[in-house]
């Protein structure tokens, strides 16, 4: 279920060969780049989606963007997530990729989509708003405060 290509970006599944590029992303957590790729490959197998590599049509690595299952206050929800290389931020790549992912999620029958964002990550909050996600609630997740943005996709 890869999202459709956008005017500047294309999506593909992560592979072990992406390790040097994935290592350049600020992904947080304790998985590390190798664990990140392994986790996403398991997500593809188990859910039919995960975070996909986003790259320009000429093949330049931009980051990752896609869907994952996230536990929020005892409920499993589909989350849109994105990470863009620091040198390519503020050029609209995250919005472009996340909008394509949101459209693919709707086409796949996902009825509600969320994004979990730290309160200090103002840039990602802006991405969420630009693709139509609205602040739903504040939660405690992974040792800190987090904001849950969301939108119903079902028509």
């Amino acid at each position: 279920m890869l999202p459709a290509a956008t005017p500047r970006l294309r999506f593909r599944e992560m592979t072990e060969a992406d390790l040097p590029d994935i290592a350049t992303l600020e992904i947080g957590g304790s998985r590390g780049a190798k664990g990140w790729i392994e986790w996403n490959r398991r997500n593809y197998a188990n859910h039919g989606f995960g975070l996909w590599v986003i790259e320009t049509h000429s093949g330049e690595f931009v980051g990752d963007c896609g869907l994952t299952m996230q536990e929020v206050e005892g409920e499993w929800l589909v989350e849109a997530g994105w990470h863009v290389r620091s040198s390519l931020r503020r050029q609209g790549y995250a919005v472009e990729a996340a909008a394509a992912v949101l459209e693919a999620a709707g086409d796949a029958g996902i009825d509600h989509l969320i994004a979990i964002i730290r309160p200090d990550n103002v840039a990602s909050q802006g991405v969420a708003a630009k693709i139509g996600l609205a602040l739903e609630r504040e939660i405690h997740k992974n040792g800190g405060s987090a904001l849950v943005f969301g939108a119903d996709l079902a028509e």
Side-chain angles (χ1 to χ4, degrees), residues 103-153:
E103 185 174 337
D107 291 347
I110 294 167
D111 58 358
H112 190 77
L113 189 66
I114 64 162
I116 302 168
I117 303 170
R118 295 287 174 206
D120 63 346
N121 191 341
V122 177
S124 278
Q125 292 174 43
V127 172
K130 286 178 182 172
I131 66 166
L133 305 183
L135 181 62
E136 293 181 344
R137 59 189 151 153
E138 186 169 347
I139 62 170
H140 187 83
K141 185 161 179 70
N142 298 331
S145 182
L147 304 174
V148 178
F149 289 75
D152 289 329
L153 304 182

Side-chain angles (χ1 to χ4, degrees), residues 2 10-15 18 44 51-55:
L2 283 176
R10 64 187 182 199
F11 295 81
R12 65 172 175 78
E13 289 189 0
M14 282 182 200
T15 70
D18 293 310
Y44 305 149
L51 295 170
W52 297 287
V53 166
I54 49 174
E55 57 192 12

Side-chain angles (χ1 to χ4, degrees), residues 19-126:
L19 185 60
D21 287 327
I22 297 299
T24 68
L25 299 177
E26 297 169 21
I27 52 178
S30 60
R31 286 187 178 97
K34 186 175 189 302
W36 191 256
I37 292 168
E38 291 167 353
W39 175 62
N40 279 292
R41 301 224 28 99
R42 282 192 307 274
N43 285 333
Y44 305 149
N46 295 337
H47 306 295
F49 54 73
L51 295 170
W52 297 287
V53 166
I54 49 174
E55 57 192 12
T56 64
H57 291 286
S58 64
E60 179 186 5
F61 178 80
V62 174
D64 69 12
C65 186
L67 303 169
T68 61
M69 296 299 300
Q70 296 291 331
E71 186 271 326
V72 177
E73 298 178 322
E75 181 182 10
W76 285 92
L77 301 170
V78 180
E79 183 197 27
W82 49 84
H83 304 93
V84 172
R85 281 182 26 212
S86 59
S87 63
L88 295 176
R89 291 183 186 153
R90 308 207 65 70
Q91 296 180 41
Y93 286 124
V95 171
E96 189 172 327
V101 165
L102 182 136
E103 185 174 337
D107 291 347
I110 294 167
D111 58 358
H112 190 77
L113 189 66
I114 64 162
I116 302 168
I117 303 170
R118 295 287 174 206
D120 63 346
N121 191 341
V122 177
S124 278
Q125 292 174 43

